[in-house]
Amino acid sequence: APPILDGGATVFEYEVVFSVTTITKVGKKVNRTVSALPPLQTTCYMYQEPVCEYGYVLTELRASTEYSEFRVRCKNEVGWSEYGPPLGAYETKNAVAPGAPIFLHHEPPTSKAIALSWSPPIRDGGSDVVDYHVHYTEVRTLTHAEWLAEFNPGKGKQTSDEKHEVRNDVSLRVGGPVCNY
C-alpha cells in the first residue's frame, strides 16, 4: 500500500532490495553466504499505472534458492524514505521443466547435413537449461525392389512400380546452451 505519510508530495518510485543465500558444503560443514542483490526500481513508465503502489512481483528468481532481507523504500520529489522493516527468509520452489525453445530456424541443407538453430526458451523453469533434445524423422522413398532387398530378403525379385516410404525416428541430445554451430 502507499505510505500513510508521503511527506506532502506524490510518491513516484519504489525500490526493493533483497539478498540471496548461497549454500556450499565443505565436507560435513555447511557454509551459508548471504549476498545483497542490486536495488530494483519498480516503476515502469510503459504501463498505464507506472508506479507500483500496492506491490510488485519479483520474477526470474532461481529455483530452490533462499532469498531474504526483503525491504522496500519510496521516493518523492524531496528524496528517498528509510527502508521499511525487513521480511524473513523464503526459499523458492523446486525447478520445473523449461518451456520449448523458440525461433527454430534452418540453413539450406547440404547433401549430408542440415544446420539447425534456435533460441533458449522464454521460461527456463527456474534452472539453467543444460541440454536440448532434437528429434526428427528420416523419410526415404524406396522402389519395390529396394524395399524387398532391405526388408524382405529371400523373397525373390518381384517386380512392381510400387514405391515404399520408409520412416525412421531419430533422437539425439545436444549439449548445453553453447554448441558448435
Side-chain angles (χ1 to χ4, degrees), residues 8-95:
T10 302
V11 170
F12 60 86
E13 181 65 82
Y14 288 85
E15 180 181 80
V16 178
V17 293
F18 59 104
S19 300
V20 62
T21 302
T22 305
I23 300 172
T24 54
K25 293 181 181 180
V26 181
K28 293 182 179 181
K29 186 176 180 182
V30 176
N31 294 323
R32 297 169 63 88
T33 306
V34 178
S35 305
L37 296 171
L40 176 67
Q41 310 293 313
T42 64
T43 299
C44 186
Y45 289 102
M46 67 182 185
Y47 296 147
Q48 185 176 358
E49 306 255 347
V51 180
C52 299
E53 293 182 319
Y54 296 98
Y56 185 78
V57 177
L58 296 169
T59 60
E60 305 307 320
L61 301 178
R62 305 312 299 160
S64 304
T65 302
E66 182 179 289
Y67 294 93
S68 61
E69 302 173 6
F70 294 90
R71 295 176 295 147
V72 179
R73 68 179 181 165
C74 57
K75 183 178 185 180
N76 65 16
E77 64 189 42
V78 177
W80 286 103
S81 70
E82 296 295 320
Y83 283 103
L87 294 177
Y90 300 93
E91 186 171 331
T92 54
K93 294 181 178 182
N94 293 335

